[in-house]
Amino acid sequence: MKAFITGAAGFLGRETVFAALRRGFEVTAFLHDADAPLPPQIRRVKTDLEDTAEIESLVLQEFPDAIVNCAAVTSLAAANADPARAERLNVALPRRLAMLANHVSARFVHVSTDMVFDGEKGAYEHTDMPLPRNLYAQTKLMGEREVLKYGKANASVVRTTLLSGNSFSGSKSLHERLFADWAAGRTTPLFGEEIRQPVSAGNLADVLVELCERPNLSGVYHWAGGEALSRFEIGERIARHFGLPAEKLVKRACYADVPGAAETRPRDLSFVLHPLAGKLKTRVQAFDELLAEMRVPAPCVAWYEAMTGRKVVRRLVKGVDF
């Protein structure tokens, strides 16, 4: 298959490129950084996706079999800081890509978020009514609706959650951000009432690519890890997995401690993963499997070795060493 992947320099986009290559796809990667560490066999197109002219031209010239959209404004803080940009990347871009995909009869796979729900219910099914609590979630929900409207039967929306794994920079995933805090001497406050289901970026990327090959699966689906945990429990288990003193590195926080948190942060965003979990070959991961994948981030190796007395062995990096 010929696949176009947007946001390919990002954490999830990069993993999606590798997942597509594993399945024998011919990949064109759209990215803002031409020097991003990606395999040499892909075609790179450096572009600003707020202006879709270049990708439109290539889609209409080459008729790809699939488009996977991993580009987005991905956080509440970033959306609040620049609402206009959030609207362009989270709403206007997926709308245009969905229209293009439908025009050339390509599969379109779009990534959304668990935060489209208000968090009052938990165990959300893909058919439950969304109710976003903040601007970021509102733009992602609007993007979903545009994709389904204009992508029609060619489009799939995958709502997902906190991404785990090992980013190239060592600063993107949940455990890498925790390590940065700890290495700087900070104890990390983590909400005890916020429930999520962490998923590895590699596992999610496999799902996105598999959906490219499954034209019978259109509409909205949920994908996450297999265990619903509070942010505090996640931090504790990560610290203990690495042999670190969890009681010194993480502390339980409450929404009441942070002004505005109760109004803007959903509490329980756990997912029901069916029907998608029963239809794909890619399987749902347990949290212990995510822990086993995690590596000490490169910027924190010296601190970790001094803290634990353990020697960190450098591992080969995809897109750099092989």
Side-chain angles (χ1 to χ4, degrees):
M1 294 184 73
K2 181 187 296 184
F4 285 8
I5 299 173
T6 63
F11 184 25
L12 177 59
R14 187 168 181 270
E15 290 295 333
T16 304
V17 168
F18 285 105
L21 291 176
R22 286 195 296 270
R23 297 179 84 93
F25 285 25
E26 177 187 328
V27 176
T28 298
F30 293 85
L31 62 172
H32 63 273
D33 179 7
D35 297 322
L38 290 169
Q41 64 266 43
I42 68 167
R43 178 172 62 165
R44 299 162 182 252
V45 179
K46 183 180 178 181
T47 187
D48 178 0
L49 287 171
E50 294 183 54
D51 178 0
T52 60
E54 189 164 16
I55 192 170
E56 288 177 11
S57 175
L58 285 173
V59 169
L60 295 175
Q61 286 175 29
E62 300 187 14
F63 278 59
D65 300 295
I67 301 172
V68 183
N69 181 36
C70 298
V73 171
T74 58
S75 73
L76 191 158
N80 287 340
D82 193 343
R85 183 170 184 269
E87 195 280 334
R88 290 193 294 272
L89 286 178
N90 292 356
V91 185
L93 174 63
R95 176 200 304 131
R96 189 59 181 156
L97 293 177
M99 293 171 69
L100 288 165
N102 188 59
H103 180 70
V104 300
S105 299
R107 285 285 287 146
F108 182 53
V109 182
H110 173 70
V111 182
S112 189
T113 175
D114 53 1
M115 293 190 76
V116 298
F117 296 108
D118 64 4
E120 296 301 313
K121 169 182 172 289
Y124 285 101
E125 300 185 56
H126 70 292
T127 53
D128 286 332
M129 180 67 70
L131 186 62
R133 300 178 72 123
N134 54 63
L135 176 64
Y136 163 68
Q138 289 169 7
T139 62
K140 292 300 288 183
L141 179 59
M142 291 167 64
E144 286 185 13
R145 290 173 173 169
E146 296 294 88
V147 166
L148 297 175
K149 178 180 178 181
Y150 292 103
K152 302 179 182 177
N154 291 312
S156 296
V157 172
V158 181
R159 294 178 182 143
T160 193
T161 183
L162 296 176
L163 289 183
S164 169
N166 305 292
S167 68
F168 177 75
S169 66
S171 61
K172 298 292 186 183
S173 77
L174 62 93
H175 86 279
E176 292 170 342
R177 295 192 296 270
L178 288 174
F179 262 85
D181 261 7
W182 300 339
R186 295 188 292 269
T187 300
T188 309
L190 297 169
F191 291 122
E193 64 260 70
E194 183 177 330
I195 307 299
R196 309 292 284 276
Q197 280 174 243
V199 63
S200 81
N203 179 256
L204 176 60
D206 284 337
V207 168
L208 302 181
V209 172
E210 188 173 347
L211 282 171
C212 292
E213 301 172 324
R214 300 290 298 275
N216 58 315
L217 297 178
S218 60
V220 177
Y221 297 102
H222 290 174
W223 192 264
E227 294 179 53
L229 302 165
S230 74
R231 279 190 180 265
F232 178 70
E233 290 172 321
I234 292 168
E236 275 194 318
R237 288 181 65 174
I238 290 173
R240 289 173 180 156
H241 171 74
F242 284 98
L244 295 166
E247 66 280 1
K248 296 180 180 179
L249 297 176
V250 296
K251 63 180 179 180
R252 187 185 297 270
C254 299
Y255 282 173
D257 300 334
V258 181
E263 290 74 34
T264 59
R265 299 194 70 91
R267 292 180 183 272
D268 186 348
L269 292 176
S270 55
F271 272 170
V272 173
L273 302 182
H274 290 284
L276 192 58
K279 295 180 179 292
L280 297 181
K281 293 180 180 178
T282 305
R283 62 183 185 83
V284 177
Q285 290 181 312
F287 191 68
D288 282 344
E289 294 178 84
L290 272 68
L291 290 174
E293 292 181 0
M294 295 177 186
R295 300 195 298 266
V296 177
C300 304
V301 166
W303 170 84
Y304 178 77
E305 291 181 341
M307 186 77 173
T308 63
R310 299 178 180 180
K311 183 69 176 176
V312 175
V313 178
R314 180 185 178 274
R315 301 187 185 184
L316 299 180
V317 178
K318 289 186 295 186
V320 177
D321 298 306
F322 63 95

